[in-house]
Amino acid sequence: MTRAKPELHDTILYVDGVSVSFDGFKALNNLSLYILAGELRAIIGPNGAGKTTMMDVVTGKTRPDTGDVIFNGGTDLTRMDEARIANLGIGRKFQKPTVFESQTVYDNLELALAGNRNVFSSLVFKLNGQQRDRIDEVFETISLSADRDRLAGDLSHGQKQWLEIGMLLMQDPELLLVDEPVAGMTDAETEQTAELLKSIAKSHSVVVVEHDMTFVRALAAHVTVLHEGSVLAEGTLDAVQNNEQVIEVYLGR
Amino acid sequence: MTGIAPRPSQSLIGRLVTSNVGSMITLAVLFAVAIVVPLLNMATPVDSPIHVPNYMLSLLGKYLCFALLALSVDLIWGYCGILSLGHGAFFALGGYAMGMYMMRQIGDRGVYGNPELPDFMVFLNWQELPWYWYGFDNFFFAMVMVALVPGILAFAFGWFAFRSRVTGVYLSIISQAMTYALMLAFFRNDMGFGGNNGLTDFKDILGFDLQADGTRAGLFVASALALITAYLVCRYLVTSRLGKVLVAIRDAENRARFIGYRVEYYRLFVFILSAVMAGIAGALYVPQVGIINPSEFTPANSIEIVIWVAVGGRGTLHGAILGAFMVNYAKSYLTGAMPEVWLFALGGLFIFVTLFMPKGVVGLVAKGSQQWQLRRRSARDLRAESDLRSEGAK
Ligand SMILES: Nc1ncnc2c1ncn2[C@@H]1O[C@H](COP(=O)(O)OP(=O)(O)OP(=O)(O)O)[C@@H](O)[C@H]1O
Ligand SMILES: [Mg+2]
């Protein structure tokens, strides 16, 4: 089922033989995962499988004990910190939606706007017309135009998820890591989010972690199943759903 | 695409002053105080009912310095979530730098008449001036030190703390430890800062007699102008993108990091700026009270500053100024009337504010005026509705 290991230069994200342990517990166990440039990939797996930890390793939050994490066919991420990796072009949505609650929705997007993150340039920063247009564009994409002047903390749970995705878009990353985007959403919102991510995937590489199978089906993406810190199976959703090992550990609960 | 009109671009005055009611009131009051108080002190006869007596002038001058100190704490705590419980240290260091300048100004007018050494060094049988006192006979050099010494300490402290991501209560505790350690150090005679007596018996500043009415008024005006300037600088900062980043860091540090902001550099920047502001406050304070000693480093002093800010209203800037004035006025009154209850009153006040007024006095006022406006609006709507109905009946 598993695809052949691709060439490094074809990948946007190359995770090879990565292990991470917390106090002896192996959260990631020789994990290898290759995301092709432009790909939309869904990652599923039971609770505690290591999905979030994988994102922590890619984004610089957690240092792997062993293994390689290479971005864009050549950049070693394992020695960089979060800000550096973010500025390289990797955006991440957290499992628990995290936005700047006491600021307006507009300011949230403005803060995420790609550009110089230097202390002194932020002292004299002024939005230009082009950047305003870009913000408006993202507002349309995430369907929050009417809420631009509300406080982000007043948004509904689902709207916060969209805002956070919008903030990723403002960063203009090449790769988006999206952790459980539809948790707590209604069916209609879930459907809308699937459409949103699919349209984003037209111009970005996207990795989505999700438990919701209807959503994963709607994404129509290549699926990777994680279990106990390594890849258990890979393929189309139908293929992995019929994989006996997968049924045993995960779907057949 | 641009269905919504672009936000109006504001002038600088609009941004710093008129867009914020609290800011307008604060600046108007501070300017009025800066002009009227010294005038009423100097230009009215002592028996006039509008005369401001000397003790009142120096009391208000002290409050202005405390307000500047409170402002410095609000900038980091209110906007960036850094709860420093050691800010008194930066205030004291600024005060010591100014005190050293004024000690050198005494020259041979000390008790021992030694033109080279301050009295306490003669008393300790020291033969020559320690190297770190060099240059302090120059006012300009001393003023640079007023900013530089707290700034460098803040840089060193912040560099280690913020880079190793020490935050929250841990940061508060090590900031307490910092001021406590400095207090112990400054208590020692061989540190060369006058031990537990500190620096005192100052005679003049820039050649002006410290006891003269004109000098006192001048120091008062300087304190008021320093506070106004610092307020405007802080307002500029918090209304810039940097201000938004600070709040973002305060509310969701990880989100800020993962969209690419170097959280530690932002923290370091405001922390240093805040320490410099505290140092300037100390430097203005010392000539007005005539003494600086290690008790300024007491951990309790630093905690008190945080209480001023909490009472006035954290994260508003003018709240800090208001809180410093209110709590210190209460302190002046209570320590005179019932000295034994002051500490209990302060503790009680802090608990009360934390539990019932999380946004302080400024927050309470804002809420009150909002409700009043709401009620007025609904009353107006009601009236309009009944007008409409009576019109329809006709
Ligand atoms: N910082 C940490 N310290 C100790 N253990 C951790 C840490 N982070 C994760 N773990 C453990 O590692 C394992 C993998 O966690 P992870 O959050 O990656 O799982 P997940 O696949 O995202 O699960 P979920 O679907 O519940 O989000 C879990 O058992 C978790 O308890
Ligand atoms: Mg997870």
Side-chain angles (χ1 to χ4, degrees):
Chain A
M1 263 301 72
T2 312
R3 290 189 296 196
K5 182 168 166 177
E7 293 291 331
L8 176 61
H9 61 79
D10 292 332
T11 62
I12 185 86
L13 183 65
Y14 183 93
V15 176
D16 197 55
V18 166
S19 295
V20 170
S21 51
F22 298 111
D23 306 319
F25 171 75
K26 282 214 155 176
L28 293 184
N29 188 2
N30 197 17
L31 172 71
S32 296
L33 189 68
Y34 316 100
I35 312 293
L36 299 176
E39 186 181 354
L40 168 61
R41 174 77 63 94
I43 294 185
I44 62 174
N47 292 111
K51 305 180 294 293
T52 300
T53 307
M54 180 274 293
M55 291 196 174
D56 286 346
V57 167
V58 174
T59 54
K61 189 164 185 237
T62 302
R63 297 251 171 276
D65 302 333
T66 56
D68 295 322
V69 183
I70 295 168
F71 176 59
N72 227 347
T75 316
D76 177 11
L77 298 180
T78 54
R79 314 188 71 92
M80 296 182 181
D81 68 359
E82 299 95 325
R84 178 99 186 270
I85 292 174
N87 290 322
L88 274 179
I90 299 182
R92 173 177 184 185
K93 197 200 85 63
F94 295 111
Q95 183 162 350
K96 175 179 178 293
T98 314
V99 295
F100 305 126
E101 308 236 333
S102 67
Q103 304 191 61
T104 63
V105 174
Y106 195 94
D107 283 345
N108 269 265
L109 287 194
E110 190 191 319
L111 276 166
L113 181 74
N116 196 336
R117 258 83 162 115
N118 180 306
V119 174
F120 294 100
S121 62
S122 73
L123 264 177
V124 292
F125 176 83
K126 258 197 149 108
L127 270 184
N128 63 31
Q130 211 178 349
Q131 292 167 325
R132 272 203 196 91
D133 290 347
R134 173 73 189 135
I135 294 178
D136 289 335
E137 211 175 279
V138 170
F139 264 126
E140 300 270 312
T141 313
I142 58 173
S143 324
L144 285 178
S145 296
D147 302 288
R148 52 173 60 207
D149 291 321
R150 287 173 71 194
L151 290 185
D154 293 341
L155 295 180
S156 73
H157 190 83
Q159 287 176 316
K160 281 183 195 168
Q161 303 263 37
W162 286 335
L163 175 57
E164 203 178 353
I165 293 173
M167 289 165 77
L168 297 200
L169 291 176
M170 291 305 305
Q171 270 179 267
D172 199 19
E174 288 178 65
L175 171 66
L176 286 84
L177 305 176
V178 188
D179 203 349
E180 304 207 11
V182 300
M185 281 190 179
T186 63
D187 287 350
E189 286 172 334
T190 300
E191 207 171 301
Q192 213 176 332
T193 307
E195 288 312 309
L196 173 62
L197 286 172
K198 270 160 73 176
S199 79
I200 291 172
K202 284 182 195 146
S203 47
H204 301 81
S205 312
V206 182
V207 176
V208 188
V209 162
E210 192 43 81
H211 287 289
D212 186 320
M213 284 305 149
T214 335
F215 173 77
V216 175
R217 184 164 297 281
L219 284 183
H222 194 73
V223 176
T224 297
V225 186
L226 288 198
H227 176 57
E228 291 179 350
S230 38
V231 175
L232 184 70
E234 238 175 45
T236 62
L237 183 60
D238 285 325
V240 299
Q241 274 184 323
N242 291 321
N243 179 309
E244 272 181 26
Q245 272 179 300
V246 175
I247 293 170
E248 197 172 308
V249 303
Y250 183 52
L251 298 165
R253 280 181 295 180
Chain B
M1 182 96 1
T2 36
I4 293 111
R7 328 184 131 213
S9 59
Q10 279 184 339
S11 69
L12 195 62
I13 300 276
R15 183 172 139 193
L16 301 187
V17 188
T18 47
S19 65
N20 184 314
V21 183
S23 181
M24 271 195 288
I25 298 175
T26 307
L27 287 164
V29 170
L30 286 180
F31 270 115
V33 165
I35 295 165
V36 173
V37 172
L39 214 61
L40 292 183
N41 172 254
M42 302 270 291
T44 58
V46 177
D47 51 5
S48 154
I50 55 166
H51 177 72
V52 171
N54 282 345
Y55 83 88
M56 183 67 100
L57 182 84
S58 66
L59 195 67
L60 287 173
K62 256 172 62 177
Y63 292 175
L64 288 171
C65 299
F66 289 152
L68 178 52
L69 179 57
L71 192 64
S72 77
V73 168
D74 192 30
L75 181 65
I76 53 169
W77 184 37
Y79 289 89
C80 199
I82 303 170
L83 176 54
S84 165
L85 294 180
H87 245 53
F90 302 121
F91 180 82
L93 288 172
Y96 266 97
M98 179 59 112
M100 287 163 79
Y101 162 73
M102 292 189 296
M103 285 307 268
R104 301 298 290 140
Q105 289 297 290
I106 297 173
D108 60 3
R109 289 171 292 168
V111 178
Y112 297 108
N114 187 320
E116 273 307 310
L117 298 182
D119 276 349
F120 74 88
M121 291 187 193
V122 180
F123 183 77
L124 290 172
N125 264 326
W126 288 16
Q127 299 306 319
E128 56 185 81
L129 202 65
W131 61 268
Y132 46 83
W133 275 75
Y134 292 172
F136 276 94
D137 42 358
N138 178 307
F139 181 75
F140 182 74
F141 177 84
M143 291 310 100
V144 170
M145 289 299 138
V146 160
L148 207 59
V149 173
I152 288 176
L153 177 64
F155 175 79
F157 180 91
W159 181 261
F160 289 111
F162 300 142
R163 270 172 49 101
S164 39
R165 303 196 182 171
V166 177
T167 50
V169 59
Y170 299 100
L171 187 100
S172 304
I173 290 170
I174 60 170
S175 66
Q176 277 261 286
M178 173 191 76
T179 194
Y180 188 68
L182 282 167
M183 179 185 77
L184 295 181
F186 274 74
F187 261 125
R188 293 160 52 98
N189 279 329
D190 52 9
M191 274 286 282
F193 296 107
N196 60 348
N197 295 319
L199 310 175
T200 186
D201 293 330
F202 309 129
K203 305 272 189 262
D204 42 34
I205 180 169
L206 283 172
F208 295 104
D209 180 5
L210 278 169
Q211 304 303 322
D213 287 355
T215 314
R216 288 174 176 282
L219 284 167
F220 181 91
V221 173
S223 307
L225 291 182
L227 179 58
I228 290 168
T229 311
Y231 182 80
L232 288 172
V233 168
C234 290
R235 183 100 357 252
Y236 178 87
L237 231 70
V238 302
T239 52
S240 70
R241 184 182 223 206
L242 183 127
K244 290 177 188 170
V245 177
L246 295 182
V247 172
I249 290 172
R250 180 192 73 190
D251 291 346
E253 177 182 343
N254 267 334
R255 186 68 276 166
R257 241 186 245 292
F258 282 92
I259 54 178
Y261 290 102
R262 292 211 173 268
V263 168
E264 53 276 20
Y265 292 169
Y266 280 83
R267 288 207 170 112
L268 197 59
F269 174 79
V270 275
F271 194 67
I272 293 171
L273 183 70
S274 162
V276 169
M277 280 167 58
I280 294 172
L284 286 161
Y285 174 81
V286 169
Q288 298 187 70
V289 297
I291 183 166
I292 172 78
N293 64 31
S295 70
E296 292 298 337
F297 286 106
T298 321
N301 271 16
S302 295
I303 295 175
E304 221 173 285
I305 310 166
V306 170
I307 300 179
W308 306 341
V309 177
V311 168
R314 173 188 168 197
T316 59
L317 298 181
H318 35 269
I321 297 176
L322 185 68
F325 271 88
M326 288 189 354
V327 179
N328 279 293
Y329 178 76
K331 181 178 184 175
S332 301
Y333 174 77
L334 270 182
T335 46
M338 297 172 280
E340 62 287 349
V341 299
W342 164 243
L343 272 183
F344 294 102
L346 187 69
L349 184 67
F350 189 49
I351 293 171
F352 179 84
V353 167
T354 313
L355 289 180
F356 302 110
M357 287 165 55
K359 289 183 178 160
V361 174
V362 166
L364 213 62
V365 171
K367 201 169 151 194
S369 82
Q370 207 177 18
Q371 273 169 355
W372 184 70
Q373 269 175 2
L374 225 61
R375 212 167 318 137
R376 226 174 47 151
R377 194 171 315 145
S378 63
R380 201 177 46 215
D381 289 351
L382 224 61
R383 226 175 307 126
E385 206 175 296
S386 71
D387 283 356
L388 218 63
R389 223 175 293 136
S390 57
E391 214 144 277
K394 269 187 222 161

